[in-house]
């Protein structure tokens, strides 16, 4: 086996384990990094990275991180926060360094394990059986790992939606039915057993976005699709009182927090975190409080009830508090540039990437989808794999050969 071939199974391994506990995903990331270093072809990969539109935003983000590390104070949390900040950039660079074939292998792993997990959820809630502990976060709410899995299921649901919408555009509506069934089924999974409002919000925003991308030059079709989607969404909310209750609870929590109430609530803590982290940025807009400085400032400013929190549930505010506006803008530029690259590609590969990168952007804005390795090592990796394939500008179908077919040799072939 040539050394370059070892990258393919390593990339697939990362895709296969994104639903597993964070220790396994860390292992897969380390394995891929090592294989990239020993596989050869470093000049080709570096040239690919230099030509990538995300190269300079990532370089600006990493360079400013080191500048802030050098000129601003250090804290007990500095090593861990520095590690997570660098991990974000490294994850993006590893995905962008892959060839198309290597990215396809990573995608195969992700979609294969996602399909197996869908079957697991169906079987678990149909017949019930003892569940292996690492898989509990796939079928029920188990901390941030279940949020990560819900976001991954949202990516799969949006992928199915893109395929189904394409079948409708091709006047093959019957072929779209399984895709929409999968999309709605996974929507129920993320809303009910996994209880992820972040994932529900992402789906509610992403599905209209891919419709706009599909029919942006056909206004009548676009209006019809958006009206139909609104009707389906409204009917779904009406038929799912649990989901409706979660939305109402979130609105009520925000209203009470604005009135000064302090209690354990998802959006109560977000209200105070966003408010106080914004004030941190206003106080130190140029270089922030230093890498790892958010926690100390939070203890001084935030409610005592939430003192054990170590991140503000918004990645852009997190880096902004620690590195100032340049850090916030550089990370935001990376994520927005990814979405823009996907938007500019008018075909299905662009829509697949648009959905995945938008989900990552939304999750980073209302949760710690990059800072928290339980989420970031999975969601960011998969979103960047989708984007890497969309960046194959000379390839009209970068998703081809996703599932390799076994071809029989022709007569006379030895």
């Amino acid at each position: 086996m040539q050394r370059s071939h070892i990258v393919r199974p390593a990339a697939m391994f990362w895709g296969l384990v994104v639903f597993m506990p964070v220790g396994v995903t860390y292992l897969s990331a380390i394995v891929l990094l090592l294989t990239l270093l020993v596989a050869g072809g470093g000049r080709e990969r570096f040239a690919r990275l230099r030509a990538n539109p995300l190269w300079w935003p990532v370089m600006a983000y990493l360079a400013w991180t080191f500048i802030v590390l050098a000129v601003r104070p250090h804290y007990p949390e500095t090593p861990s926060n520095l590690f997570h900040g660098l991990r974000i950039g490294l994850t993006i660079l590893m995905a962008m360094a892959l060839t198309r074939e290597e990215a396809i292998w990573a995608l195969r792993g992700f979609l294969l394990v996602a399909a197996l997990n869908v079957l697991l959820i169906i079987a678990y809630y149909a017949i019930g059986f003892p569940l292996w502990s690492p898989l509990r976060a796939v079928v029920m709410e188990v901390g941030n790992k279940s949020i990560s899995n819900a976001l991954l299921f949202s990516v799969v649901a949006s992928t199915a939606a893109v395929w189904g919408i394409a079948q409708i555009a091709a006047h093959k509506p019957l072929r779209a039915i399984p895709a929409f069934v999968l999309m709605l089924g996974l929507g129920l999974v993320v809303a009910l057993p996994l209880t992820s409002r972040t994932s529900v919000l992402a789906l509610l925003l992403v599905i209209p976005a891919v419709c706009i991308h599909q029919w942006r030059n056909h206004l009548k079709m676009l209006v019809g699709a958006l009206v139909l989607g609104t009707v389906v969404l409204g009917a779904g909310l009406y038929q799912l009182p649990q989901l409706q209750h979660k939305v109402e609870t979130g609105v009520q929590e925000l209203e009470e927090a604005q009135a000064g109430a302090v209690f354990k609530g998802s959006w109560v803590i977000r209200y105070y975190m966003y408010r106080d982290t914004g004030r941190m940025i206003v106080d130190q807009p140029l270089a922030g409080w230093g890498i790892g400085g958010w926690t100390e400032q939070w203890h001084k400013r935030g409610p005592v009830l939430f003192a054990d929190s170590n991140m503000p549930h918004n990645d852009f505010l997190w880096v902004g508090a620690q590195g100032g506006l340049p850090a916030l803008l550089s990370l935001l530029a990376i994520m927005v540039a990814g979405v823009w690259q996907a938007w500019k590609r008018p075909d299905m590969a662009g829509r697949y990437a648009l959905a995945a990168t938008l989900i990552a952007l939304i999750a980073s804005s209302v949760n710690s989808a990059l800072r928290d390795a339980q989420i970031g090592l999975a969601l960011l990796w998969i979103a960047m794999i989708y984007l890497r394939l969309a960046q194959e500008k000379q390839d009209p179908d970068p998703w081809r050969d996703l599932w390799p077919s076994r071809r029989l040799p022709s007569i006379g072939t030895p």
Side-chain angles (χ1 to χ4, degrees):
M1 177 183 289
Q2 299 180 12
R3 284 191 302 162
S4 60
H5 290 171
I6 64 176
V7 178
R8 298 176 185 177
M12 186 176 187
F13 177 47
W14 196 342
L16 279 169
V17 301
V18 289
F19 288 92
M20 296 295 288
V22 67
V24 183
T25 19
Y26 265 125
L27 174 62
S28 66
I30 294 171
V31 168
L32 179 61
L33 178 60
L34 293 177
T35 55
L36 286 171
L37 293 175
V38 304
R43 290 185 179 180
E44 178 185 348
R45 295 190 189 278
F46 184 68
R48 185 180 301 116
L49 285 173
R50 286 292 304 270
N52 195 291
L54 296 187
W55 169 257
W56 288 114
V58 172
M59 288 299 102
Y61 164 75
L62 294 176
W64 189 253
T65 297
F66 285 114
I67 291 173
V68 171
L69 181 68
V71 303
R72 297 298 291 157
H74 294 179
Y75 307 88
E77 292 78 17
T78 296
S80 65
N81 278 252
L82 177 64
F83 171 78
H84 288 298
L86 298 180
R87 171 186 54 76
I88 293 169
L90 187 59
T91 299
I92 297 171
L93 293 177
M94 283 194 287
M96 296 300 108
L98 298 179
T99 64
R100 188 198 76 87
E101 291 76 14
E102 292 161 353
I104 282 290
W105 278 61
L107 186 60
R108 284 175 189 161
F110 169 61
L111 294 180
L112 175 60
V113 75
L116 294 175
N117 281 332
V118 169
L119 295 177
L120 173 66
I121 292 171
I122 294 172
Y124 180 80
Y125 285 102
I127 59 177
F129 49 83
L131 201 63
W132 187 36
S133 178
L135 296 178
R136 289 175 58 85
V138 174
V139 301
M140 63 185 68
E141 185 179 5
V142 184
N144 282 355
K145 187 55 191 171
S146 62
I147 296 175
S148 172
N149 293 342
L151 288 167
L152 294 174
F153 281 135
S154 296
V155 173
V156 178
S158 65
T159 302
V162 168
W163 194 87
I165 292 170
Q167 302 313 304
I168 292 177
H171 306 290
K172 301 175 182 178
L174 293 179
R175 296 179 61 180
I177 293 175
F180 289 131
V181 169
L182 176 60
M183 180 195 73
L184 292 173
L186 289 177
L188 291 175
V189 169
V190 303
L192 300 180
L194 296 185
T195 322
S196 173
R197 280 178 285 194
T198 301
S199 302
V200 173
L201 174 65
L203 277 178
L204 293 180
L205 296 176
V206 164
I207 301 303
V210 297
C211 288
I212 294 171
H213 189 278
Q214 172 77 52
W215 289 300
R216 52 185 165 178
N217 296 322
H218 301 83
L219 184 59
K220 290 183 179 179
M221 290 294 294
L222 174 59
V223 172
L226 293 179
V227 169
L228 178 60
T230 302
V231 171
V232 172
L233 173 62
L237 289 175
Y238 180 76
Q239 295 295 326
L240 292 174
Q242 303 96 322
L243 181 57
Q244 186 177 2
H245 176 69
K246 290 181 182 298
V247 175
E248 293 172 351
T249 300
V251 173
Q252 182 180 358
E253 287 178 356
L254 282 176
E255 292 175 348
E256 294 183 16
Q258 289 175 340
V262 179
F263 59 92
K264 290 285 186 178
S266 178
W267 285 100
V268 174
I269 188 172
R270 279 176 171 80
Y271 171 80
Y272 287 106
M273 282 181 166
Y274 295 174
R275 184 196 68 180
D276 294 342
T277 305
R279 292 172 178 173
M280 295 179 201
I281 298 173
V282 171
D283 291 345
Q284 293 287 344
L286 180 59
W289 294 89
I291 305 301
W294 182 87
T295 303
E296 179 177 291
Q297 287 300 310
W298 174 245
H299 288 164
K300 294 178 179 179
R301 303 166 184 252
V304 177
L305 182 64
F306 307 134
D308 58 343
S309 299
N310 63 357
M311 49 189 169
H313 289 75
N314 181 301
D315 291 312
F316 307 109
L317 292 178
W318 169 64
V319 298
Q322 300 191 130
L325 289 176
L328 186 155
L329 293 175
S330 61
L331 183 61
L332 182 61
I334 293 171
M335 303 304 293
V336 172
V339 174
W340 176 242
Q341 287 294 309
W343 174 264
K344 289 196 302 180
R345 179 159 185 149
D347 59 6
M348 285 182 66
R351 281 187 287 282
Y352 288 139
L354 175 65
T357 52
L358 261 180
I359 289 172
L361 175 60
I362 293 166
S364 302
S365 301
V366 298
N367 212 317
S368 298
L370 304 180
R371 160 64 175 84
D372 189 338
Q374 292 194 82
I375 306 174
L377 272 171
L379 177 63
L380 181 62
W381 168 248
I382 295 303
M384 291 300 107
I385 291 298
Y386 274 62
L387 180 62
R388 173 67 189 88
L389 290 172
Q391 291 176 338
E392 289 289 308
K393 297 180 180 179
Q394 305 303 320
D395 194 333
D397 184 16
W399 281 53
R400 72 182 187 280
D401 302 327
L402 179 61
W403 307 117
S405 59
R406 183 178 180 181
R407 299 178 179 177
L408 296 176
S410 60
I411 296 175
T413 302

